[in-house]
Amino acid sequence: MRTQVAIIGAGPAGLLLGHILQRAGIGFVILEQKSREYVLGRIRAGVLEQGSVDILRDLGLDSDLDARGLTHHGIYLQYEGQRRHLDFVDLVGRTVTVYGQQALVRHLLAEHDRLGSDVRFEVEGVAPHGIDSGAPYVTTADGERIDCDFIVGADGYHGVCRPAIPGVTALERDYPYAWLGILADVAPSTDDLIYALHPEGFAMHSMRSLEVSRLYLQVDPSESIDEWPDDRIWEQLQTRLGVDGWTLHEGTITEKSITPMRSFVASTLEHGRLFLVGDAGHIVPPTGAKGLNSAIADVALLGRSLAARYGGDDSPLTRYSASALARQWKVQQFSQWMTEMLHVHREIADESTRAFRYRSQVGQLEYTTGSRHAQAALAEQYAGLPF
Ligand code: APR
Ligand code: PHB
């Protein structure tokens, strides 16, 4: 078989790139190792920047977003029993949209089905070849060969494409904490998302709909979900999110899991005819809600660059990695900044050093919520840097 672009991975990055290429009249195939049910079942990020929403609208992929997406005008930052609202509309004239990655993937896939796109699941042993040549191709375990002009690695952090780049390195750091996330069948107890620093650890209140809440707790990376029965989760959420005069409503927990936190950036997002997008090239800790938005920013840029290339203009494609990484490093510093401001550094053994760290984080939150300049800087980055 022959196509123009072979996309490896059917996460949000691969599926969205397929739509961008389809609109540009560029042929593609998407090869995914997992089953359709597995891909549709993954619960992950939940906030879209305004730029991400604009891209979905431009592509006509906004019907489900309009039906389910919740427009949010800001966030709450909470510390020492105080809850402060940051109004993004007032500060930077922009909003964010709470819309689950799971709903986005379901919609992108349904639209591919409607268009008759070539999206294949349970394809094992996918491997990129000939990326240094003008004639790259992809092979699969069952002996298929797909010749193409370009290969796109949308295959996530554990994928096969990044390691196929000769000499690729990465800069990365782990964090001494993880997130325990739950989905609960209960109406959200808040209008905007709450990010809270508490002496017992970070907590956060998000949502998936007007009937389903999404909540998170900072835990140690070594902890197992078995150590967290539902009543212990609610007790800690009540403690960490509680403020006077406000009630956190509890409901049936339908899903719970622990996710480690990592920052990771590959040294390059391209080699010859191979390009990386999304988690294949970079990972952020979830505190600023940037993972999904970074994947969307990459595919918007790569999609435009490939379209320019087929239209006879090479130059955007030659700048893809440099442009995407320049934006990504700003996003990395924001995600690290939000993460470190809001998590309790239990790993610091010395009590006085730990207390100093906590008090400076309270000072940082006082400044961030008290200064209009600081509020605007957070709002500008949370609502999203230009694509
Ligand atoms: N062959 C085919 N498919 C593969 C292979 C392989 N060798 N390796 C991985 N994949 C698939 C995975 O099964 C997965 O479905 O690639 C897909 C990658 O999808 P994601 O991990 O969702 O990554 P991406 O599309 O870049 O989306 C990034 O996901 O983790 C969140 O916060 C992150 O929201 C962000 C988003
Ligand atoms: C989510 O709803 O899953 C979510 C929201 C905001 C974040 C992280 C996760 O910063």
Side-chain angles (χ1 to χ4, degrees):
M1 154 178 190
R2 182 172 170 87
T3 190
Q4 287 172 297
V5 181
I7 301 172
I8 303 178
L15 292 170
L16 184 63
L17 181 64
H19 281 292
I20 296 173
L21 296 180
Q22 190 272 338
R23 306 299 190 272
I26 299 168
F28 67 94
V29 60
I30 302 179
L31 305 172
E32 165 62 48
Q33 70 179 1
K34 301 281 199 216
S35 67
R36 174 185 284 262
E37 296 67 40
Y38 181 92
V39 166
L40 287 171
R42 276 190 303 225
I43 300 158
R44 295 207 286 205
V47 178
L48 293 181
E49 297 173 0
Q50 187 150 338
S52 299
V53 169
D54 292 344
I55 282 168
L56 295 174
R57 289 206 193 293
D58 287 349
L59 294 165
L61 294 167
D62 52 359
S63 59
D64 188 63
L65 177 73
D66 283 338
R68 274 175 222 280
L70 304 169
T71 303
H72 281 212
H73 288 196
I75 58 166
Y76 295 98
L77 289 178
Q78 182 176 319
Y79 55 97
E80 303 289 288
Q82 307 166 62
R83 184 175 295 166
R84 297 273 157 83
H85 191 248
L86 270 64
D87 185 332
F88 296 168
V89 176
D90 174 44
L91 290 160
V92 294
R94 285 187 288 154
T95 58
V96 293
T97 302
V98 175
Y99 180 60
Q101 180 168 323
Q102 203 179 3
L104 175 63
V105 165
R106 195 184 318 117
H107 185 68
L108 294 177
L109 203 47
E111 284 296 293
H112 277 306
D113 290 344
R114 196 177 60 77
L115 293 163
S117 306
D118 192 352
V119 184
R120 304 181 197 175
F121 292 91
E122 297 177 69
V123 185
E124 303 209 0
V126 175
H129 303 277
I131 59 175
D132 277 312
S133 74
Y137 61 98
V138 173
T139 56
T140 69
D142 60 13
E144 185 162 9
R145 171 177 167 139
I146 299 169
D147 290 287
C148 54
D149 300 328
F150 300 100
I151 299 172
V152 176
D155 50 351
Y157 180 67
H158 299 287
V160 290
C161 290
R162 190 181 62 253
I165 297 181
V168 70
T169 56
L171 294 174
E172 62 187 306
R173 59 166 298 195
D174 289 331
Y175 294 86
Y177 25 78
W179 274 20
L180 187 165
I182 65 161
L183 276 180
D185 281 337
V186 59
S189 305
T190 180
D191 49 355
D192 281 339
L193 274 47
I194 306 167
Y195 292 81
L197 171 72
H198 185 277
E200 294 189 36
F202 169 77
M204 172 178 181
H205 191 333
S206 181
M207 62 197 72
R208 284 293 174 273
S209 68
L210 298 177
E211 295 84 34
V212 176
S213 297
R214 176 88 169 139
L215 296 124
Y216 296 98
L217 286 172
Q218 174 186 351
V219 297
D220 289 337
S222 60
E223 283 182 273
S224 144
I225 198 70
D226 305 331
E227 299 163 54
W228 285 90
D230 294 2
D231 51 359
R232 181 177 177 209
I233 294 175
W234 284 117
E235 184 266 312
Q236 276 295 302
L237 287 167
Q238 294 287 2
T239 301
R240 300 187 196 181
L241 288 170
V243 288
D244 285 344
W246 177 80
T247 307
L248 173 64
H249 301 291
E250 300 184 7
T252 306
I253 296 179
T254 57
E255 204 275 340
K256 58 178 172 182
S257 60
I258 294 180
T259 319
M261 292 167 78
R262 179 184 292 121
S263 296
F264 168 92
V265 186
S267 54
T268 181
L269 302 181
E270 65 186 53
H271 183 83
R273 295 295 183 103
L274 173 68
F275 296 88
L276 304 180
V277 290
D279 279 12
H282 39 71
I283 302 271
V284 286
T287 324
K290 292 297 173 214
L292 176 58
N293 291 295
S294 296
I296 294 175
D298 284 353
V299 298
L301 182 62
L302 183 62
R304 270 203 309 272
S305 305
L306 286 169
R309 158 77 188 234
Y310 282 109
D313 177 7
D314 242 10
S315 57
L317 197 56
T318 62
R319 290 194 306 269
Y320 167 71
S321 179
S323 304
L325 287 179
R327 184 181 192 279
Q328 176 57 206
W329 274 112
K330 294 184 220 169
V331 171
Q332 287 285 337
Q333 78 62 41
F334 175 68
S335 302
Q336 174 180 263
W337 176 82
M338 282 280 280
T339 299
E340 294 195 323
M341 177 166 70
L342 287 160
H343 288 74
V344 173
H345 292 260
R346 289 199 273 245
E347 80 290 356
I348 300 176
D350 178 64
E351 201 182 320
S352 158
T353 311
R354 201 169 57 242
F356 188 95
R357 174 75 195 227
Y358 182 82
R359 291 304 316 166
S360 359
Q361 286 172 243
V362 171
Q364 194 181 1
L365 281 158
E366 294 266 8
Y367 172 67
T368 302
T369 55
S371 151
R372 189 166 171 95
H373 300 289
Q375 288 179 17
L378 188 154
E380 181 179 36
Q381 298 178 89
Y382 195 104
L385 297 172
F387 274 33

